[in-house]
Amino acid sequence: QLQVVESGGGLVQPGGSLRLSCAASGFRLAYYAIGWFRQAPGKEREGVSCISSGDNSKYYADSVKGRFTISRDNAKNTTYLQMNSLKPEDTAVYYCAAVMFYSCSQDNPAADFSIWGQGTQVTVSS
């Protein structure tokens, strides 16, 4: 069974940091691109970051550029999203998703991704 499982969410104060993990099972992560998406209450799901298969090129939404860093450890079959300088507007459920042999770009539609996790809640509040 192909699946991804997110972890690492929680409650953090503004300016704080969290690292989200996306553990893949049932497939070899190296062949897949991973996208991170988020959805806040009452808002549409938006793409946050993406790391390509192959060349590992990375893309970020303008709202998180310079604060978030995506990375992967193929040996651990895990992708990470390091989130620094968190703001209240970063509060959302964060999802990771996988797609095989995919080159990310600045716009990565959620419909392109075939394997989705259940999400992890990130709350930024004082």
Side-chain angles (χ1 to χ4, degrees), residues 43-59:
K43 294 188 177 181
E44 293 187 354
R45 181 171 48 189
E46 64 170 339
V48 174
S49 184
C50 187
I51 183 166
S52 300
S53 59
D55 68 358
N56 288 328
S57 55
K58 303 171 185 179
Y59 293 85

Side-chain angles (χ1 to χ4, degrees), residues 100-124:
M100 188 182 231
F101 298 136
Y102 185 85
S103 293
C104 300
S105 65
Q106 197 58 43
D107 180 25
N108 304 287
D112 287 353
F113 294 79
S114 55
I115 306 167
W116 286 82
Q118 81 291 347
T120 186
Q121 176 70 46
V122 172
T123 302
V124 185

Side-chain angles (χ1 to χ4, degrees), residues 1 13 16 19 30 32 37 49 51 57 59 75 77 93 111-112 121:
Q1 184 179 0
Q13 292 186 340
R19 188 177 79 159
Y32 285 71
F37 298 82
S49 184
I51 183 166
S57 55
Y59 293 85
N77 238 33
V93 177
D112 287 353
Q121 176 70 46

Side-chain angles (χ1 to χ4, degrees), residues 38-117:
R38 66 186 181 186
Q39 188 165 21
K43 294 188 177 181
E44 293 187 354
R45 181 171 48 189
E46 64 170 339
V48 174
S49 184
C50 187
I51 183 166
S52 300
S53 59
D55 68 358
N56 288 328
S57 55
K58 303 171 185 179
Y59 293 85
Y60 300 93
D62 288 342
S63 58
V64 307
K65 205 169 291 183
R67 301 188 297 122
F68 290 12
T69 302
I70 192 170
S71 63
R72 67 160 84 217
D73 185 336
N74 289 335
K76 295 183 178 180
N77 238 33
T78 301
T79 306
Y80 304 97
L81 185 68
Q82 178 67 44
M83 306 187 297
N84 298 330
S85 302
L86 283 162
K87 305 175 180 179
E89 50 264 42
D90 294 317
T91 296
V93 177
Y94 283 70
Y95 301 90
C96 71
V99 57
M100 188 182 231
F101 298 136
Y102 185 85
S103 293
C104 300
S105 65
Q106 197 58 43
D107 180 25
N108 304 287
D112 287 353
F113 294 79
S114 55
I115 306 167
W116 286 82

